[in-house]
Amino acid sequence: MKLLVIGSGGREHALAWRLAQSPRVQKVYVAPGNAGTALEDGVENLPLTAIEDLLTFALDEPIYATVVGPEVPLAAGVVDAFREKNLRIFGPTQAAAQLESSKDFAKRFMIRHNIPTAKFATFTKAQPAHAYVDAEGAPIVIKADGLAAGKGVVIASSSEEAHAAIDRMLSNKEGERVVIEEFIAGEEASFIVMADGVHALPLPTSQDHKRLLDGDQGPNTGGMGAYSPAPVVTPEIHARVMREIIMPTLAGMTRDGIPYSGFLYAGLMIKPDGTLKVLEFNCRMGDPETQPIMMRLKSDLVALVDAAIDGHLDKIEAEWDRRAALGVVMAAAGYPEDPRKNDAIRGLPKSTEDSHVFHAGTTTRDGKVVTQGGRVLCVTTLGDNVRAAQRRAYEVIDAISFDGMQYRRDIGHRAIGRKT
Ligand code: AMP
Ligand code: GLY
């Protein structure tokens, strides 16, 4: 059978790599893909991005099933378009994807269904938003409504910063909204499940590193590295997340008439006293969380996707490597503000049993692999624990270089530094 993966990042490389290993799969197309997917055994890039073109390709080929990586095509209705033509596709409909594409939708949904989240208010006009900030004080969180690729959130430590963020986000354009949210202190974790509308199959937990620099300093990014599992999610917290967040979310979406199928990502904040809050939902897998999670998957991913599309996730189990996995993102010069392109990448190693270099922003020029976007590579490794996986990742990185490369040297520090 032939499969299609939509997207071009490290997440899509990791998904396509695992799908291509299924004994049932002849070829995995990645649209549009990157230099890494082009080089992967059993994987081929397809220079298409428009939904109409993807649909025609999937019908003609024919493609057995499609997996959607990023949120943009989901929010644009790719799943609705494929399903209308009776094509098998794994992802939420446009209506269900609002859990990510509108923070206001997600917030109202959580309040309506008693899913724990930070206190909030939504504004379309600057003046009442400023008044709200004055009443609540700092620290406070200002979020642009809508997809913002991780750049629409300001954690304001002073009221002045909050006021400035409001003025920037509400520039008098029609339809603009900001969500203003209570600041919650705690440790973040990524909790991702596969959902089939009714049932959920939890993937291993993970933790991202959103800031550019070591010690969680510097600007926010799309994510500079991740590891799995995240020890902050103890077995007890895991059970509570399923009971208090994931299952009520699926039940709530069904009750609201928009059943959710696809990857569902709950970004959690876990307070020291064990209180759980949902910071955000994403309607897709995380990037870079996918890379370490896929590194640990031992089961056939096609069987899991099939069960999800058919609504049988309660009848299937997934097997995971008991080792820890860790991925370090190597980013381009100038990332995140103004990433430089076209730097030649040297020393890309062959993958081994315990290491794989997933590509994100890469392309091939004159037979050479060059940088093409902000996050360039994610060097992902396995080890008996997070510390061992970390050591292995930096060993692999030592061989790789490109001009202006930036990467953190402390990915995994929270797990390694834990006392328990
Ligand atoms: P979001 O895109 O909503 O996940 O926000 C991006 C990042 O901002 C999160 O990963 C957190 O690190 C931080 N953040 C968002 N909301 C809050 C909040 N209410 N309290 C504290 N930190 C937050
Ligand atoms: N790693 C965070 C995200 O994918 O949204």
Side-chain angles (χ1 to χ4, degrees):
M1 64 172 68
K2 297 175 187 170
L3 303 175
L4 173 62
V5 172
I6 298 176
S8 65
R11 166 184 49 212
E12 290 76 21
H13 186 178
L15 290 169
W17 167 71
R18 268 299 178 231
L19 290 168
Q21 288 169 352
S22 169
R24 298 151 68 197
V25 170
Q26 182 189 345
K27 187 174 285 183
V28 178
Y29 290 98
V30 186
N34 57 41
T37 52
L39 294 167
E40 203 65 67
D41 281 345
V43 180
E44 189 174 322
N45 286 349
L46 197 65
L48 302 178
T49 46
I51 292 178
E52 270 309 304
D53 297 339
L54 293 166
L55 196 59
T56 308
F57 178 82
L59 285 166
D60 287 351
E61 198 58 18
I63 292 293
Y64 171 76
T66 299
V67 177
V68 190
E71 62 277 20
V72 171
L74 292 165
V78 69
V79 169
D80 310 68
F82 272 56
R83 284 205 192 148
E84 210 169 285
K85 300 276 185 224
N86 289 317
L87 287 165
R88 293 169 71 74
I89 185 162
F90 184 54
T93 58
Q94 185 174 43
Q98 288 181 94
L99 273 184
E100 174 168 3
S101 65
S102 166
K103 290 198 187 287
D104 182 53
F105 173 93
K107 280 297 202 179
R108 286 173 198 280
F109 172 85
M110 286 189 267
I111 304 289
R112 192 160 63 244
H113 296 287
N114 279 319
I115 294 157
T117 188
K119 182 182 153 193
F120 84 108
T122 303
F123 299 92
T124 51
K125 296 257 180 324
Q127 200 265 330
H130 289 304
Y132 185 80
V133 165
D134 287 334
E136 295 289 320
I140 193 155
V141 182
I142 317 290
K143 302 185 175 186
D145 193 39
L147 296 180
K151 291 173 196 127
V153 177
V154 172
I155 314 286
S157 47
S158 67
S159 307
E160 291 70 42
E161 257 182 87
H163 290 307
I166 291 167
D167 286 333
R168 200 149 21 82
M169 290 179 197
L170 290 179
S171 59
N172 295 322
K173 269 195 240 118
E174 214 28 51
E176 281 180 332
R177 282 194 287 199
V178 293
V179 171
I180 303 185
E181 199 172 273
E182 160 199 13
F183 173 82
I184 302 176
E187 186 168 343
E188 281 181 75
S190 306
F191 198 103
I192 308 173
V193 304
M194 293 177 79
D196 66 8
V198 179
H199 318 101
L201 176 85
L203 307 183
T205 58
S206 54
Q207 197 172 61
D208 188 9
H209 300 62
K210 292 228 162 91
R211 304 290 202 99
L212 181 69
L213 304 173
D214 284 10
D216 298 318
Q217 303 294 311
N220 257 319
T221 70
M224 292 300 290
Y227 64 90
S228 168
V232 65
V233 186
T234 59
E236 188 239 327
I237 290 185
H238 194 285
R240 283 179 45 215
V241 174
M242 289 301 288
R243 198 169 61 234
E244 297 170 19
I245 295 169
I246 301 296
M247 298 321 289
T249 299
L250 297 186
M253 291 296 278
T254 299
R255 220 174 309 140
D256 291 350
I258 34 178
Y260 191 97
S261 72
F263 292 108
L264 177 65
Y265 170 139
L268 304 177
M269 191 66 99
I270 303 164
K271 295 215 253 180
D273 68 359
T275 309
L276 295 175
K277 302 261 179 180
V278 177
L279 283 188
E280 62 167 346
F281 282 119
N282 292 321
C283 61
R284 50 169 175 85
M285 283 203 72
D287 190 338
E289 291 95 325
T290 306
Q291 293 85 316
I293 291 173
M294 282 299 121
M295 200 75 187
R296 295 184 61 207
L297 178 63
K298 293 178 104 171
S299 316
D300 179 355
L301 181 55
V302 177
L304 300 181
V305 168
D306 250 344
I309 293 174
D310 293 329
H312 297 155
L313 279 178
D314 56 328
K315 304 216 167 58
I316 196 158
E317 272 178 41
E319 199 194 335
W320 304 97
D321 200 308
R322 49 152 207 88
R323 288 175 292 178
L326 183 135
V328 179
V329 169
M330 300 182 77
Y335 180 74
E337 283 85 18
D338 187 18
R340 190 169 77 198
K341 292 185 183 170
N342 259 319
D343 286 307
I345 304 170
R346 295 172 292 267
L348 282 170
K350 287 210 162 28
S351 51
T352 62
E353 188 276 329
D354 66 354
S355 73
H356 204 94
V357 178
F358 295 108
H359 291 224
T362 65
T363 191
T364 318
R365 193 147 297 143
D366 307 326
K368 289 204 189 86
V369 178
V370 301
T371 62
Q372 160 88 352
R375 292 185 293 171
V376 176
L377 303 169
C378 182
V379 175
T380 311
T381 52
L382 289 164
D384 283 334
N385 49 45
V386 173
R387 186 190 294 276
Q390 186 198 59
R391 201 178 310 123
R392 184 79 183 100
Y394 289 108
E395 243 170 56
V396 176
I397 282 184
D398 272 343
I400 306 172
S401 66
F402 51 92
D403 288 348
M405 65 186 180
Q406 312 185 65
Y407 60 90
R408 281 180 61 161
R409 280 150 220 275
D410 66 347
I411 299 303
H413 70 91
R414 281 211 178 72
I416 292 167
R418 266 179 98 81
K419 291 194 186 66
T420 49

